[in-house]
Every structure is written in C-alpha cells, then in structure tokens.
C-alpha cells in the first residue's frame, strides 16, 4: 500500500510542475491520436465497446512519449483502416487516406518533441511554432506529391508504370541500405 501512495504522491507532484507548452504538446498528441483512430476505424466499431481500448491506445503516447506508443498507435490506426476497407467494404477515399497520414505524422512528430521535452520545461512558443511549421510543410508536400502521383498513374499505365515502380522500389531499398550503413558507422 505504501508503494501505491508513494507513486500517487509522485504523480501529484509531477502534475503540479507541468508547464503550459509541454502540456499543450501532449494534448496535441492525444487529439491527433483520437482523430486518426476515428477516421481510420469503422464508425460501427467506434460506437461499440471497442472504443475504450482504441482510445487508450490513441492517447497512450501522450502520457509516455519516450516508448513505442506512437508506433503502436500508428499500427492500430492502419489496422483500423484495413479492417474498414477490407472487412467492412468501405470505399477507399483520397481524403481519408490523406487525413490518416496527416494525423499520424503530426502525432508522431509531436511525440518526438514531447520525448525530448521535460514536462516542466519553460519553452518559447517559437520553438513549437517552427516545429509545427516544418511538420505541416512535410504534410503539404507529401499530399501534393501523392495527388500528383495518382494523377500520373492513368498516364503511366502498363510497362512504364512497372518500370517507375521498380525504380522507386530500388531507390527506397538503396536509401534504407545507406541509412543502415551510416548508423553502423556511429
């Protein structure tokens, strides 16, 4: 019983030292997670008893940003999208794919910021503003490239599309090998 009381006192002390910017960052993680899950999972499952476990997985990275919670939450969101499209025969809509990707990226990016930012840190708003501006720039560029690539698929049907796919796959494998080699050096 004493161990529980010690942990509760430690949690109360930590909550009393929370500053506004780290709190808002963690709130952003939770909101992005909940929105990603609500866009990806079928509405009938979200309106059932499965909502609570899905919501817990979605907000867990906000409480423990240094763990693997963001990865697990992203995988659960993708699993929800697969369940909805494959299991419930939902139509694959571009807005939905872009929304899921955007929310997962923003949640993951904010989780990375929260992981290096103590909960009681005094942070300038410009730091978070610049972080979010870069994240939104990545989201916008990715969305434009995705829509452009989808527009090109009609023009590149057949052999040219296969060659472009293989070249892209070779580039991805090459980049992965380069990153792995650079990581081994350090």
């Amino acid at each position: 019983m004493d161990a529980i009381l010690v942990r509760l006192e430690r949690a109360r002390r930590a909550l009393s030292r929370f500053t506004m910017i780290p709190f808002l960052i963690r709130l952003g993680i939770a909101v992005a997670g909940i929105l990603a899950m609500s866009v990806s999972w079928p509405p009938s499952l979200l309106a059932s008893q499965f909502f609570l476990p899905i919501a817990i997985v979605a907000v867990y990275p906000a409480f423990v940003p240094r763990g693997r919670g963001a990865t697990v939450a992203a995988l659960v969101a993708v699993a929800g999208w697969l369940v909805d499209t494959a299991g419930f025969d939902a139509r694959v809509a571009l807005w939905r794919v872009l929304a899921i990707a955007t929310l997962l990226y923003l949640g993951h990016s904010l989780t990375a910021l929260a992981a290096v930012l103590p909960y009681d840190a005094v942070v300038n708003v410009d730091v978070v503003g610049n972080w979010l501006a870069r994240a939104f720039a990545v989201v916008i560029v990715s969305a434009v490239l995705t829509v452009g690539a989808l527009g090109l698929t009609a023009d590149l049907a057949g052999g040219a599309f296969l060659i472009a796919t293989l070249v892209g796959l070779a580039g991805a494998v090459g980049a992965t090998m380069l990153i792995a080699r650079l990581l081994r050096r350090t």
Side-chain angles (χ1 to χ4, degrees), residues 113 124-137:
L113 179 59
N124 194 350
V125 177
D126 293 345
V127 172
V128 179
N130 289 338
W131 187 281
L132 287 174
R134 282 190 299 272
F136 280 118

Side-chain angles (χ1 to χ4, degrees), residues 169-182:
L169 184 60
V173 169
T176 303
M177 290 172 56
L178 177 64
I179 291 170
R181 185 173 182 207
L182 290 174

